Amino acid sequence: MRFETLQTSKRREIEALGPWFHNLHLPDGLETAPDHRFGDFPQFKWRRIADSIPQSLADWSVLDIGCNAGFYSIELGRRGATVLGLDREPLYLRQARWAAKQCGLEDRLTFIEGNVYELLKCERTFDLVWFTGVFYHLRYPTLALDLVRGVTGRLMMFQSMTMPGGEANGAACLFPNDLPLDQRETMRHEGWPKMAFIEHRVAGDATNWWAPNEPCVEALLRSAGFQVISRPEHEFFLCKPVSTPAHTDLAQLRRSSSAQPSEPVDRACEDAYAQAMERLASFVHCGREQRGGRTMGQAIATTDHEVIRRWVESRKGHPAVVKTTEGKRRGGSGLLRIDFEPSEESLDALSWDDFFETFDTNNLAFLYQERTASGRKSRFNKFVSRDSVDVQNASSGADSQGTER
């Protein structure tokens, strides 16, 4: 009877943390998404690729980019690795931390909020980088791949949605290293590296931007300084680093990111710069969550509805939800966002009542910045777990005045 009671309680916890994209198999036999539309995902993928990874990862460091609920982090942690999981969605991070604790791996797995572009300032390497389910969601995929190469020590597991057609095996040998301008017809060959751009949606997801063919995947990996050593599963490529290409544009980007913005600089660009610097700072400090009343530089965490609403509306913003997640989260809405003019196509407007219902039900806090380092009004904001920050709800601390954008 006690076991049944514990399982009932655990099921309630799983439901409260939903929706789940990873179907995790917990030690007590429960699953987080047993009715997943893809089946036992990603377990069935793992079964096909598991043997390509060393059975013992003791003393290995792993970076799991886009970790979601932590399935791969947990499997790699079970092999002895120390794993840093990176994801931009607080919901997934809560799931991953909870799951790690259920599996007894919380001392080996760390999950932080961030994205692949923050590797720009990362000065360490990881023995294994897990880069699956992310590439085709990125607006700047080749930049991301170059950054991944910079932090890869021994191995990198890559996966991307691909387009049909093209055979990678030996395709590169068919084409000259320097294609004459008047021979561009060669690019029509089935084996030529191609990547389709998705202007609108695939499977209802507006963040599916790219679909390379197999020759393109391998060409991209070679260009970034990787060698494909095995293909254990459809769309999965296990790689090792073989060179560090001297990409001048990446070097210029690093120099630019270390410099303060100069005048004249568009205010929106300056805000973006400030946000990037804050996120980079949190990642470089070993990925540990910063706690205290003010986190990430001058950002403030609050749950005060009036403070949030005043901050958003003073910047001509409004509450929104990611279209592809609507109705899939406790409180009736999906993943919350703040939308500013011009509105993002991937977002739907949300009423304040629905926004705050989802906000409170999912135990979120609102992290925001009043002004940039140069004193301009900032639009920096993000949603984080209330457990990860010290919340300030004294509205007197919020400055709602300033020049409108």
Side-chain angles (χ1 to χ4, degrees), residues 60-192:
W60 280 51
S61 59
V62 175
L63 175 63
D64 185 359
I65 302 170
C67 62
N68 203 278
F71 176 90
Y72 292 115
S73 294
I74 289 170
E75 293 298 334
L76 298 170
R78 283 172 172 159
R79 296 192 178 190
T82 300
V83 184
L84 174 62
L86 192 67
D87 205 288
R88 65 187 297 273
E89 178 47 55
L91 170 66
Y92 297 149
L93 295 172
R94 289 198 299 274
Q95 292 174 348
R97 290 168 185 146
W98 179 86
K101 186 174 182 179
Q102 303 306 308
C103 296
L105 294 169
E106 64 270 31
D107 293 337
R108 196 171 292 162
L109 310 183
T110 302
F111 298 98
I112 65 169
E113 187 170 345
N115 62 67
V116 66
Y117 301 121
E118 294 170 32
L119 298 179
L120 183 68
K121 288 293 186 179
C122 185
E123 298 180 353
R124 62 162 295 181
T125 60
F126 297 82
D127 295 303
L128 170 62
V129 176
W130 203 267
F131 190 39
T132 65
V134 176
F135 179 83
Y136 52 98
H137 291 298
L138 302 173
R139 287 285 289 183
Y140 312 105
T142 56
L143 168 61
L145 202 53
D146 289 342
L147 296 176
V148 168
R149 170 60 189 88
V151 299
T152 301
R154 300 193 199 181
L155 294 174
M156 190 271 285
M157 182 66 84
F158 176 87
Q159 183 274 337
S160 175
M161 176 178 72
T162 58
M163 64 182 289
E167 291 294 334
N169 296 333
C173 300
L174 300 175
F175 311 116
N177 289 335
D178 187 356
L179 184 70
L181 190 62
D182 60 359
Q183 293 182 22
R184 283 172 289 170
E185 191 71 19
T186 305
M187 296 180 185
R188 295 182 180 273
H189 189 283
E190 184 179 358
W192 186 273

Side-chain angles (χ1 to χ4, degrees), residues 149-150 152 221-227 240-246:
R149 170 60 189 88
T152 301
L221 292 170
R222 287 193 300 271
S223 177
F226 290 106
Q227 177 185 334
K240 67 177 182 180
V242 292
S243 64
T244 305

Side-chain angles (χ1 to χ4, degrees), residues 205-226:
D205 190 340
T207 70
N208 284 328
W209 292 109
W210 308 98
N213 63 7
E214 290 183 359
C216 184
V217 171
E218 294 205 354
L220 286 165
L221 292 170
R222 287 193 300 271
S223 177
F226 290 106

Side-chain angles (χ1 to χ4, degrees), residues 15-20 89-95 320-322 325-337 357-359 361-364 383-385:
E15 183 180 353
L17 283 165
W20 295 78
E89 178 47 55
L91 170 66
Y92 297 149
L93 295 172
R94 289 198 299 274
Q95 292 174 348
V321 60
V322 178
T325 66
E326 289 181 85
K328 298 180 180 180
R329 195 171 191 176
R330 287 185 299 154
S333 298
L335 302 182
L336 299 181
R337 296 287 185 265
E357 180 182 358
T358 301
F359 180 80
T361 301
N362 288 276
N363 198 40
L364 297 176
F383 296 95
V384 298
S385 168

Side-chain angles (χ1 to χ4, degrees), residues 217-294:
V217 171
E218 294 205 354
L220 286 165
L221 292 170
R222 287 193 300 271
S223 177
F226 290 106
Q227 177 185 334
V228 177
I229 57 178
S230 71
R231 296 180 53 186
E233 162 65 350
H234 176 58
E235 297 182 338
F236 279 76
F237 299 76
L238 182 63
C239 313
K240 67 177 182 180
V242 292
S243 64
T244 305
H247 295 308
T248 57
D249 49 353
L250 182 58
Q252 291 171 354
L253 181 61
R254 284 201 167 99
R255 286 195 298 270
S256 298
S257 69
S258 64
Q260 293 294 329
S262 58
E263 296 294 335
V265 177
D266 182 89
R267 294 182 180 182
C269 292
E270 187 170 345
D271 274 355
Y273 175 88
Q275 294 177 30
M277 292 302 100
E278 288 166 353
R279 291 185 176 182
L280 289 171
S282 70
F283 184 84
V284 170
H285 287 89
C286 302
R288 298 188 180 276
E289 295 178 54
Q290 301 181 31
R291 299 180 179 269
R294 290 178 181 262

Side-chain angles (χ1 to χ4, degrees), residues 10-73:
K10 187 71 66 64
R11 286 193 186 95
R12 289 173 180 164
E13 290 184 63
I14 292 171
E15 183 180 353
L17 283 165
W20 295 78
F21 186 66
H22 282 178
N23 183 38
L24 305 179
H25 293 244
L26 303 177
D28 57 8
L30 291 179
E31 300 178 25
T32 56
D35 300 321
H36 201 293
R37 67 183 185 274
F38 296 151
D40 191 7
F41 180 85
Q43 179 70 45
F44 76 89
K45 291 287 187 182
W46 173 249
R47 293 192 191 102
R48 298 169 184 170
I49 64 176
D51 289 343
S52 66
I53 303 298
Q55 291 298 314
S56 174
L57 294 176
D59 299 324
W60 280 51
S61 59
V62 175
L63 175 63
D64 185 359
I65 302 170
C67 62
N68 203 278
F71 176 90
Y72 292 115
S73 294

